[in-house]
């Protein structure tokens, strides 16, 4: 049981390059999330997927796109990377419903855009 | 939208002593859930403790306990007998009962240093 996995762990891009961050969970969770973490700003939600087949914008969606490929996988794409997108990116998943379901996080991807 | 505030960017504690991290939140909901997450230098986010708002009893997990004051919208984390391994960034999080997809709100974190 791997939980939430993310690839890659580290990436350096040049301005204007594109890349896709991959995320997969094996806990059969309905909901998946992408966050970015910047110093002093905590975790900010980029996009989320409440269930397979749906995606919605979070607090900071500009410059990103997502795909919920199936129930397990939720990818984040940067079409034209900018230095402002230098950050640590976390994927998370959770169950939904009226219980104290917490989020489970992947190990993060440190992205540097030069 | 709900907001979560952690007013202490940095805290320090002597090994074996007790430290309390503060968290306040703003909400109009009556049912919700609160969490403390720990993020060590490895970056992995680890759940420390959870609290259901409808429960009056404060949650406890070994050396970690919370002081949940619903009326004051306060949710502090107490770490007793601090250990070197407790050094990390700690995030307070709020989970809304209402499902609009974006259920989770995080504070900006408190960096805890444990002094040997």
């Amino acid at each position: 049981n791997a939980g939430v996995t993310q690839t890659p762990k580290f990436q350096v891009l040049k301005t204007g390059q594109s890349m896709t961050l991959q995320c997969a969970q094996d806990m059969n969770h309905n909901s998946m999330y992408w966050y970015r973490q910047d110093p002093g700003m905590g975790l900010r939600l980029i996009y989320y997927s409440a269930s397979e087949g749906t995606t919605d914008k979070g607090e900071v969606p500009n410059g990103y796109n997502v795909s919920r490929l199936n129930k397990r996988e939720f990818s984040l794409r940067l079409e034209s990377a900018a230095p402002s997108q230098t950050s640590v990116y976390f994927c998370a998943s959770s169950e939904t419903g009226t219980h104290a379901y917490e989020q489970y996080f992947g190990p993060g991807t440190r992205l540097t855009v030069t | 939208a709900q907001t979560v505030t952690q007013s202490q960017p940095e805290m320090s504690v002597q090994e074996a002593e007790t430290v309390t991290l503060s968290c306040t939140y703003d909400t109009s909901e009556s049912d919700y859930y609160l969490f403390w997450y720990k993020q060590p230098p490895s970056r992995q986010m680890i759940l420390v403790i959870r609290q259901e708002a409808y429960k009056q009893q404060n949650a406890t997990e070994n050396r970690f306990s919370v002081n949940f004051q619903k009326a004051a919208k306060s949710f502090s984390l107490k770490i007793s007998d601090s250990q070197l391994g407790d050094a990390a960034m700690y995030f307070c999080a709020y989970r809304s009962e209402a499902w609009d997809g974006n259920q989770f709100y995080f504070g900006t974190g408190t960096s805890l240093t444990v002094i040997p």
Side-chain angles (χ1 to χ4, degrees):
Chain A
N1 188 342
V4 180
T5 57
Q6 289 182 236
T7 55
K9 286 190 167 51
F10 301 92
Q11 184 71 49
V12 179
L13 292 177
K14 292 187 184 335
T15 298
Q17 289 185 318
S18 62
M19 78 161 296
T20 300
L21 280 64
Q22 306 286 354
C23 174
Q25 52 93 8
D26 62 2
M27 295 173 282
N28 203 36
H29 286 163
N30 285 316
S31 302
M32 298 185 73
Y33 311 79
W34 276 105
Y35 292 93
R36 59 178 289 171
Q37 183 180 24
D38 302 293
M41 303 191 76
L43 290 159
R44 293 185 293 168
L45 184 67
I46 305 171
Y47 270 92
Y48 61 92
S49 172
S51 60
E52 185 179 354
T54 69
T55 60
D56 285 286
K57 295 178 181 179
E59 181 185 353
V60 289
N62 291 344
Y64 306 95
N65 285 302
V66 291
S67 296
R68 183 75 183 266
L69 305 170
N70 47 54
K71 192 171 186 180
R72 288 188 64 248
E73 298 172 287
F74 188 39
S75 62
L76 178 72
R77 182 161 178 83
L78 287 69
E79 291 291 351
S80 178
S84 61
Q85 294 178 305
T86 293
S87 187
V88 179
Y89 291 85
F90 287 96
C91 177
S93 71
S94 74
E95 196 43 275
T96 54
T98 56
H99 294 285
Y101 296 121
E102 71 269 24
Q103 288 185 315
Y104 294 81
F105 286 84
T109 296
R110 181 176 292 278
L111 174 66
T112 302
V113 183
T114 61
Chain B
Q2 285 74 13
T3 56
V4 178
T5 302
Q6 293 179 250
S7 59
Q8 306 155 316
E10 297 178 345
M11 293 280 286
S12 62
V13 61
Q14 290 286 143
E15 194 175 3
E17 297 295 310
T18 296
V19 64
T20 298
L21 309 184
S22 300
C23 174
T24 59
Y25 55 94
D26 184 27
T27 185
S28 58
E29 299 178 330
S30 58
D31 291 323
Y32 48 87
Y33 310 97
L34 297 163
F35 307 90
W36 278 98
Y37 281 89
K38 171 185 177 182
Q39 186 182 42
S42 67
R43 293 205 311 259
Q44 183 68 52
M45 294 283 280
I46 303 163
L47 179 69
V48 174
I49 200 165
R50 70 165 68 85
Q51 174 80 43
E52 291 91 333
Y54 65 84
K55 290 187 177 178
Q56 292 188 336
Q57 187 173 5
N58 289 325
T60 299
E61 288 287 341
N62 300 315
R63 297 182 295 106
F64 297 87
S65 62
V66 299
N67 183 3
F68 173 50
Q69 302 288 330
K70 191 172 184 179
K73 298 178 184 175
S74 170
F75 182 60
S76 60
L77 175 70
K78 186 171 82 171
I79 306 173
S80 303
D81 186 25
S82 296
Q83 300 175 359
L84 294 178
D86 295 333
M89 183 74 81
Y90 287 82
F91 291 96
C92 178
Y94 172 104
R95 178 183 180 269
S96 173
E97 176 75 9
W99 176 247
D100 64 355
N102 180 13
Q103 281 186 297
F104 293 88
Y105 301 87
F106 287 84
T108 52
T110 297
S111 178
L112 179 66
T113 300
V114 180
I115 303 165

